[in-house]
């Protein structure tokens, strides 16, 4: 039982990171019906930005409180990720909006590979050690079950950001415009909504979520490199499909299921199957519920 509870805590922490990444996939898909495979590289850019910002002024960072450092690194990462996402949308995706979906899909894969190679040229292929902002220590102990302060921060941050995004989408004017564009872009345009601006805002919001995920990921796994976005990006895409791509609650549910599945497989079966479980889940959901757990059954989505 204690092993189960420990894996449950570990899974919720990992799942919170997948949730933030999956939100970016599902928002872009909801508006453009495009699977943005470059989202994992935006996530990588966020982690690299945080690393270099911290390395540029280590004395200043050491003088600040850990949460101030986290806030500064998050703002810097969010700015770079947002600019990168805007650039990708404007150069690679906007000219293909009226093109067949296959063209946009191939372009997305091409942009992802381009950014991976560009990342190796700019940052170097060698891994880097993400700065330690908060030392990991037990926050709550129940027998052999330990909840660390880092796990609590990751889970709490994930909950706050998901709740904030949900409120933003349903309670703000831009959020309503995003929902209207997602439902019918042509009708939204006829109603006076600037669809280009709404789509750009959707990419920016997804990029900010990826920036937050990159900071939390770096706190958990300090080793970062230019290819670090590949596997988390794929798993988060699977999580979005699992929950119902295009649905924010579905992305949140899928991310948590993905994190829990990984940790339970690692704890009870073998760590060698940790990455494989994502694709087992993808095959399972495509066979039995193509629209995802909370999505509609629309086979063309996947």
């Amino acid at each position: 039982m204690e092993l189960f509870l420990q894996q449950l805590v570990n899974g919720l922490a990992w799942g919170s990171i997948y949730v933030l990444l999956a939100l970016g996939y599902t928002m872009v898909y909801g508006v453009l019906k495009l699977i943005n495979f470059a989202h994992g590289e935006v996530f990588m850019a966020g982690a690299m930005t945080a690393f270099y910002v911290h390395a540029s002024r280590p004395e200043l960072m050491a003088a600040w409180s850990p949460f101030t450092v986290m806030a500064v690194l998050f703002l810097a990462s969010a700015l770079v990720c947002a600019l990168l996402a805007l650039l990708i949308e404007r150069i690679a995706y906007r000219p293909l909006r009226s093109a067949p979906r296959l063209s946009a899909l191939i372009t997305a894969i091409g942009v992802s590979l381009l950014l991976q190679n560009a990342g190796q040229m700019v940052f170097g292929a060698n891994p880097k050690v993400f700065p330690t902002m908060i030392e990991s220590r037990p926050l709550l102990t129940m027998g052999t079950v330990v909840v660390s302060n880092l796990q609590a921060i990751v889970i709490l941050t994930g909950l706050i950001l998901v709740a904030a995004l949900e409120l933003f989408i349903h309670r703000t004017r831009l959020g309503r415009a995003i929902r209207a564009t997602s439902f019918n872009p042509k009708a939204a345009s006829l109603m006076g909504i600037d669809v280009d601006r709404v789509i750009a805002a959707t990419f920016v919001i997804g990029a900010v979520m990826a920036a937050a995920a990159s900071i939390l990921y770096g706190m958990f796994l300090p080793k970062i490199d230019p290819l670090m976005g590949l596997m988390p990006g794929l798993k988060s895409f699977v999580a979005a499909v699992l929950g119902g791509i295009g649905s924010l609650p579905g992305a949140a549910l899928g991310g948590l299921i993905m994190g829990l599945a990984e940790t339970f497989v690692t704890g009870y079966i073998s760590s060698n199957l940790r990455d494989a479980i994502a694709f087992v889940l993808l095959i399972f959901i495509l066979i039995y519920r193509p629209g995802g757990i909370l999505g509609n059954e629309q086979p063309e989505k996947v």
Side-chain angles (χ1 to χ4, degrees):
M1 187 61 184
E2 290 183 340
L3 175 61
F4 174 84
L5 292 175
Q6 185 64 66
Q7 296 303 333
L8 182 65
V9 172
N10 296 341
L12 289 175
W14 270 117
S16 299
I17 296 174
Y18 290 140
V19 167
L20 296 179
L21 273 173
L23 288 173
Y25 280 101
T26 209
M27 286 192 69
V28 170
Y29 184 87
V31 173
L32 282 181
K33 300 295 180 286
L34 166 71
I35 300 170
N36 180 20
F37 280 113
H39 193 57
E41 280 58 58
V42 175
F43 163 76
M44 175 273 292
M48 287 295 176
T49 300
F51 170 81
Y52 281 106
V53 168
H54 189 280
S56 65
R57 301 297 297 274
E59 306 85 5
L60 187 60
M61 297 289 174
W64 290 345
S65 72
F67 289 103
T68 303
V69 175
M70 282 180 62
V72 170
L73 297 185
F74 168 68
L75 290 175
S77 297
L79 178 62
V80 170
C81 288
L83 292 175
L84 180 59
L86 282 174
L87 197 64
I88 293 170
E89 190 275 330
R90 185 67 184 83
I91 295 176
Y93 298 150
R94 189 176 296 187
L96 295 174
R97 278 187 201 165
S98 57
R101 292 187 188 179
L102 183 60
S103 301
L105 179 64
I106 293 172
T107 300
I109 295 172
V111 172
S112 173
L113 293 173
L114 174 66
L115 292 176
Q116 288 175 23
N117 286 276
Q120 292 185 77
M121 290 178 61
V122 174
F123 307 122
N126 293 329
K128 296 172 175 53
V129 179
F130 198 80
T132 301
M133 292 172 280
I134 299 175
E135 294 287 347
S136 179
R137 57 180 173 77
L139 183 66
L140 181 64
T141 303
M142 297 175 291
T144 61
V145 180
V146 177
V147 181
S148 74
N149 56 340
L150 290 184
Q151 288 173 323
I153 289 172
V154 170
I155 294 172
L156 189 60
T157 304
L159 286 173
I160 291 173
L161 289 178
V162 170
L165 180 60
E166 187 71 14
L167 285 174
F168 176 82
I169 292 296
H170 288 91
R171 300 292 177 84
T172 67
R173 186 174 180 179
L174 180 56
R176 288 193 290 272
I178 290 174
R179 285 189 290 142
T181 304
S182 173
F183 184 74
N184 191 323
K186 291 183 179 177
S189 180
L190 291 174
M191 293 298 293
I193 293 175
D194 187 339
V195 172
D196 287 341
R197 184 181 173 193
V198 168
I199 291 173
T202 303
F203 273 81
V204 167
I205 293 169
V208 170
M209 291 293 166
S214 71
I215 301 294
L216 299 177
Y217 181 93
M219 293 171 63
F220 250 18
L221 281 183
K223 191 179 76 171
I224 61 173
D225 61 71
L227 302 181
M228 62 176 285
L230 179 59
M231 194 52 73
L234 281 175
K235 291 178 180 177
S236 300
F237 162 65
V238 172
V241 174
L242 181 64
I245 194 161
S247 162
L248 294 183
L253 179 61
L256 291 178
I257 292 175
M258 181 61 65
L260 290 169
E262 275 194 14
T263 54
F264 278 111
V265 165
T266 302
Y268 285 100
I269 303 177
S270 169
S271 60
N272 294 327
L273 296 176
R274 176 175 178 166
D275 292 337
I277 188 63
F279 304 101
V280 172
L281 288 174
L282 178 62
I283 294 170
F284 183 82
I285 199 69
L286 289 179
I287 292 175
Y288 293 102
R289 191 170 174 79
I293 298 172
L294 300 182
N296 297 319
E297 293 191 6
Q298 299 179 25
E300 69 274 14
K301 286 186 175 181
V302 291

